[in-house]
Amino acid sequence: MYRTKTCGELRLTDVGSEVTLAGWVQRTRKMGGMTFVDLRDRYGITQLVFDESKDAALCEQANKLGREWCIQATGKVSERQSKNGKMPTGDIEILVDKLNVLSESQTPPFTIEDQTDGGDDIRMKYRYLDLRRNCVRKNLELRHRMTILIRNFLDNLNFIEVETPILIGSTPEGARDFVVPSRMNPGQFYALPQSPQTLKQLLMVSGFDRYFQIAKCFRDEDLRADRQPEFTQIDCEMSFADQEDVLNIFEDLARHLFKEVRGVELPKLERMTWHEAMRRFGSDKPDLRFGMEFVELMDVLKGTGTFPVFDEAEYIGGIVVPGCADYTRKQLDQLTDFVKRPQVGAKGLVYVKFNTDGTVKTSIDKFYTPEVWAKLKEKTQAKDGDLVLILSGDKPNKTRTQLCTLRLEMGDRLGLRDKDTFKCLWIVDFPLFEWSDEEQRLMATHHPFTLPNPDDIPLLDTAPEKVRAVAYDFVCNGIEVGGGSLRIHDGKLQEKMFQILGFTPERAMAQFGFLINAFKYGAPPHAGLAFGLDRFVSIMAGLDSIRDCIAFPKNNSGRDVMLDAPGELDPKQLEELQLKIDLHQE
């Protein structure tokens, strides 16, 4: 055996025993005739001691050890004279009598410590070294623990884990597919699944009743902090289930995870409709850790003064920022620049300061009478010392989204988004369709298999944009952690959906014929939900990016800098696939 104990388990009760440890050299220190080596493995760090007076040759061998050398050491466990209360093994040390170098190491490109000197790029290039760091490894250990908890929870409720294929057909409705050429079928391509959506519905038609999968999913989207081209879903589907069944089970799963992982008791979750969330917070994933709810100000500011921007607006909304009436002109200019950035897209920002001395100062003083500011103060319920920030525009939901970004920015600036506070809720009653400016047509808000609200089915013919979906999202701290819906199981209704989405019957059959045909054989009512595992782990770990809880992530350009992927194919491979590369010049 290479080791009899790990580097994290020895205590005072082990004093006097002979042990063999194996691991990596964290650091070495030479003091007088003694050499101290911190030996690290996944479980912890143990101090090794080499005494020159007892074995000079062995001590000399220890002096040659470098950082990250992989070694094996045998010796006796001894009580430390100067104990280290910051280490679980800080009461003991190993008096080494045998040392074996298993593998030497070059000097690492960055220090393998929690507070490292390595930037993102260099750590991603040497990710196998980055994973040796305690703080990174803990994220993956947390991910492992959560998947075990999830599997056991769902298994106890009769869910069956079923693997679905990774090579499937392309369905270009939604995000872009990653495609894979088929050598055996020249000119034809597989797609990597954006989710196992149609496959899990087929499992319900198959009578499996309750399915789940820790499923790999792939989407060729532009990346940001909470996106990766490949990610993992906790994917679930249930037969003979309504919305209440799904929400109750998966709220219980979330409650179980928060209790076991963070020791947090989640209360019964609030349910908020999509329309209410947009009206109050300008987002379908509102962060409820702090207030600053929107106040609509059309009745106060439109047509009550001489400010043309407000008089021409279709929406005027504001937020009350408590205690910030003392913001300087420079700070307010910074906020104006923030909302004017292309990512936000507002044309400007109006502020109203209700000073502590009872005076009012605004950026548009000359356009309104003091009586209007008094009405504004009453409507917003602002107090002396508060700052009101106002945006307006000709597209209400677009302006609400801009105001939401400003609200979150103020929450960050005031330290109101504590990562150890968890506010979760369900968003329900989403619109079934949304308009795509790019496609110039209605698109499915979630996917084409979402069940319309039965009360709204008559509107499918007359006003499809008003139809609500029986869909739901699980939101935590302003992050969409998961979502799902009841599914259409009636073939005629499914055909109607395809028709509204612009599919000809031929195209619908070509892309989804397998599902349409399956519905002809007694499809049960069914519903499902998928949690984003990466996002869930990152919330539990208090991380800003899902990248930090994925073993080998891609960078923001979708590249794996460690493997140098994607890369070019060998000409012989292209020939076998009967493909020719013809890159368009920009």
Side-chain angles (χ1 to χ4, degrees), residues 384-433:
D384 288 345
D386 289 350
L387 172 68
V388 179
L389 299 174
I390 302 168
L391 293 180
S392 65
D394 56 1
K395 292 183 178 176
N397 272 351
K398 183 179 178 182
T399 310
R400 287 186 181 106
T401 302
Q402 294 164 349
L403 191 56
C404 168
T405 309
L406 178 61
R407 173 182 178 265
L408 295 177
E409 174 70 11
M410 295 314 298
D412 283 331
R413 288 184 179 217
L414 299 177
L416 302 175
R417 303 179 75 190
D418 179 9
K419 288 179 181 174
D420 292 322
T421 300
F422 301 100
K423 294 288 186 182
C424 303
L425 76 157
W426 292 104
I427 302 293
V428 297
D429 288 348
F430 281 83
L432 187 63
F433 303 107

Side-chain angles (χ1 to χ4, degrees), residues 1-5 20-22 72 74:
M1 290 199 303
Y2 276 102
R3 61 186 179 189
T4 59
K5 296 285 184 181
T20 299
L21 304 181
Q72 179 189 44
T74 300

